[in-house]
Amino acid sequence: MSEYVLELKGITKIFPGVKALNNVQFQLKPGEVHALMGENGAGKSTFIKVITGVHKAEEGEMYLFGEKVDFKGPKDAQEAGIAAVYQHPTSYPHLTVAENIFMGHEIKKNHMIQWKAMNEEANKLLKQLNADFDSTAEMGTLSVAQQQMVEIAKALSTNAKIVILTKRESEELYRIVDQLKEKGVSIIFISHRFEDMYRLASRVTVFRDSQYIGTYDVDGITNADLIKAMVGREIKDLFPKPEVKIGDEMLRIEHLSRTGYFKDVSFNVHAGEIVGLTGLVGAGRTEVVESVCGITTPDEGKVYLEGKEVHIKQPSDAMKEGIILLPEDRQKEGLIMSWGLGRNVTLPTISKYAKKGFNDEKTERDLSKRLLEEVDTKAVDIFQPASSLSGGNQQKVVVAKALSQEMKVVIMDEPTKGVDVGAKAEIYAIMGDLAKKGYAI
């Protein structure tokens, strides 16, 4: 009998022109919470897809409970007791929660689907997860967090022995991990957050540049050593904070309120200053800045820019005044994912390059190239689609887009959400550079 519930040896996966995994290994013990960490592009996602039967490795072996396995597809992995819960749920929005949970392994009797039994079983699973909705709800009406809960219920419905969790809200993550552990499930979890790893995992495996770097006991590895393993160098200054002379007041918010969202909020920001807004999920941080930028309308309160009251009714008004919001969800709200990087960057200022209805493409290209270089975007060229970049580089494109205009106030909602430790330090450095140039952040 093997000491591991899951073991992978010498896994190599090749896509045209690139080795996505190069001779990597991994071992998961029974009942263990094992973190998998590495920068964006380190090979984590490809590795998970090999485990779940989505990709077939060119080389290497995989053992489940000591027996060698060779999955032909995701259904084989599911039947073997492996389930993955992704950050962005893949669901059928027009079907019910119960239909989504049992998709592909419906409860049947005499070839007939047992709807009553499926709904009852789905409700049992949802109750275990403290869900505030039931099995008959239509999937598309649920929030992302609720849809993730359905994904977990789906994993439990297959009696999974191994569950792979990808990054999510921390408090929810802790509760889910505790519940899965109680059921004797072994867990692999992927996160960029060190605090999650220290709190939940007993061991951590690090990948870098598609290669296996090492497996460490969480109790025995420091932050600095872990960063070095992930990035390949020491990051001396994860939070670089430049010395900047604070200038005049740029933005002042007085007694801003919006019924049901936030009440009597006041603050100000000066040129060269970085002000943090913090609070738990649902505290109203995003809602406040959306009101400042004209995405929603506050019920009362005033917004002043450089001492003068401004009346912002829509986002274009905010941008004309010199206020820009870099949204939390860069993929849905910050970028057009199928477009090239250059066109994404110049989109807000496209009227500047249009003459008689035609684009001055050379000027547009030169500007986008300069701005993307300024924020050190790692990309092949400006025509590469935004969807092909890592999270950190996508965020840099969003920053470059903000810089294409004459802005005074830059509001960044969760600018380092879902980006790795190396890219985090780079984004903080960019924020410092913007402060030096006199932006209010």
Side-chain angles (χ1 to χ4, degrees):
M1 185 69 184
S2 169
E3 62 171 311
Y4 303 118
V5 291
L6 177 71
E7 184 174 16
L8 293 100
K9 298 176 180 176
I11 298 291
T12 295
K13 175 67 194 163
I14 301 167
F15 294 113
V18 63
K19 244 184 195 181
L21 293 170
N22 187 0
N23 192 28
V24 300
Q25 56 167 300
F26 185 84
Q27 295 93 17
L28 181 67
K29 293 176 178 175
E32 175 185 37
V33 180
H34 194 134
L36 179 59
M37 296 186 85
E39 291 201 284
N40 286 326
K44 305 184 300 292
S45 298
T46 305
F47 187 65
I48 294 313
K49 286 174 178 169
V50 168
I51 294 174
T52 53
V54 175
H55 292 327
K56 192 158 172 56
E58 273 74 24
E59 292 171 23
E61 296 168 339
M62 180 158 127
Y63 295 86
L64 204 58
F65 305 103
E67 299 280 315
K68 191 173 173 183
V69 288
D70 182 16
F71 296 149
K72 300 285 182 280
K75 196 152 174 54
D76 287 357
Q78 188 187 67
E79 283 168 2
I82 298 172
V85 180
Y86 293 104
Q87 183 187 13
H88 300 289
T90 46
S91 58
Y92 299 91
H94 301 300
L95 298 183
T96 67
V97 165
E99 287 168 325
N100 270 278
I101 288 173
F102 288 100
M103 179 63 67
H105 60 284
E106 295 83 358
I107 299 173
K108 292 178 185 172
K109 194 175 178 185
N110 302 326
H111 305 293
M112 299 283 282
I113 291 177
Q114 303 300 299
W115 294 108
K116 188 166 177 269
M118 261 172 29
N119 276 306
E120 282 172 1
E121 189 58 33
N123 279 328
K124 252 190 239 168
L125 295 167
L126 293 170
K127 197 176 172 190
Q128 285 172 24
L129 296 167
N130 298 333
D132 55 355
F133 55 93
D134 76 358
S135 64
T136 60
E138 194 175 288
M139 195 71 175
T141 64
L142 304 183
S143 70
V144 173
Q146 289 172 322
Q147 287 181 27
Q148 285 178 331
M149 215 173 260
V150 176
E151 291 276 308
I152 291 154
K154 193 171 169 178
L156 295 174
S157 74
T158 63
N159 292 319
K161 309 285 187 295
I162 296 165
V163 171
I164 302 160
L165 295 171
T166 59
K167 46 194 182 273
R168 58 209 313 109
E169 281 293 345
S170 292
E171 286 311 314
E172 183 202 0
L173 175 73
Y174 299 147
R175 198 184 75 243
I176 289 160
V177 168
D178 287 342
Q179 285 175 334
L180 291 173
K181 273 165 71 179
E182 273 175 34
K183 295 181 180 302
V185 173
S186 307
I187 299 160
I188 303 169
F189 96 91
I190 298 167
S191 174
H192 289 312
R193 290 167 55 95
F194 285 22
E195 54 267 48
D196 292 345
M197 181 208 72
Y198 283 118
R199 176 157 169 191
L200 294 171
S202 51
R203 291 193 304 156
V204 55
T205 289
V206 174
F207 286 1
R208 183 174 78 238
D209 298 333
S210 313
Q211 298 187 340
Y212 170 84
I213 300 300
T215 299
Y216 314 91
D217 286 331
V218 168
D219 295 344
I221 189 162
T222 64
N223 252 3
D225 287 342
L226 193 57
I227 290 171
K228 200 171 174 183
M230 286 166 67
V231 182
R233 64 184 193 279
E234 281 184 57
I235 293 181
K236 292 274 194 295
D237 203 354
L238 187 53
F239 302 101
K241 198 169 186 183
E243 288 297 315
V244 178
K245 188 170 174 290
I246 302 297
D248 297 335
E249 181 185 79
M250 281 286 172
L251 178 72
R252 183 163 89 252
I253 309 299
E254 286 187 355
H255 310 295
L256 209 64
S257 295
R258 185 174 168 225
T259 309
Y261 293 95
F262 54 86
K263 193 177 174 189
D264 197 21
V265 175
S266 301
F267 62 90
N268 66 0
V269 195
H270 292 73
E273 187 177 35
I274 301 175
V275 170
L277 292 184
T278 185
L280 295 172
V281 172
R285 301 159 305 176
T286 296
E287 289 76 8
V288 167
V289 294
E290 284 181 346
S291 279
V292 172
C293 294
I295 294 168
T296 56
T297 308
D299 301 324
E300 53 186 86
K302 293 181 175 179
V303 177
Y304 296 87
L305 192 69
E306 296 182 288
K308 183 176 114 267
E309 188 179 353
V310 289
H311 300 280
I312 294 168
K313 298 278 183 273
Q314 55 198 16
S316 57
D317 296 343
M319 282 155 65
K320 274 180 200 138
E321 295 288 358
I323 303 171
I324 192 162
L325 170 65
L326 278 51
E328 179 180 11
D329 191 336
R330 55 184 162 264
Q331 294 186 343
K332 279 190 184 157
E333 297 166 359
L335 296 166
I336 298 177
M337 298 300 283
S338 58
W339 281 21
L341 311 181
R343 189 44 64 81
N344 263 292
V345 168
T346 55
L347 180 61
T349 52
I350 202 148
S351 56
K352 284 184 187 175
Y353 319 108
K355 288 180 185 136
K356 296 180 182 170
F358 289 95
N359 248 7
D360 176 0
E361 290 192 359
K362 186 182 183 307
T363 309
E364 187 189 10
R365 281 200 302 267
D366 290 347
L367 176 78
S368 58
K369 191 166 183 289
R370 179 173 64 75
L371 291 172
L372 288 165
E373 282 170 1
E374 203 173 301
V375 295
D376 195 25
T377 311
K378 292 172 181 67
V380 178
D381 56 40
I382 63 166
F383 304 106
Q384 189 175 340
S387 58
S388 65
L389 297 188
S390 68
N393 281 305
Q394 285 174 2
Q395 186 64 22
K396 289 178 186 177
V397 177
V398 176
V399 175
K401 188 172 86 167
L403 298 180
S404 71
Q405 306 148 85
E406 295 297 317
M407 289 295 136
K408 296 164 186 167
V409 179
V410 179
I411 302 172
M412 300 182 167
D413 191 354
E414 295 274 15
T416 59
K417 185 175 185 175
V419 308
D420 56 62
V421 66
K424 264 184 188 166
E426 288 174 6
I427 289 165
Y428 295 139
I430 289 166
M431 288 166 78
D433 288 342
L434 295 178
K436 273 189 203 163
K437 287 174 183 162
Y439 288 87
I441 299 174

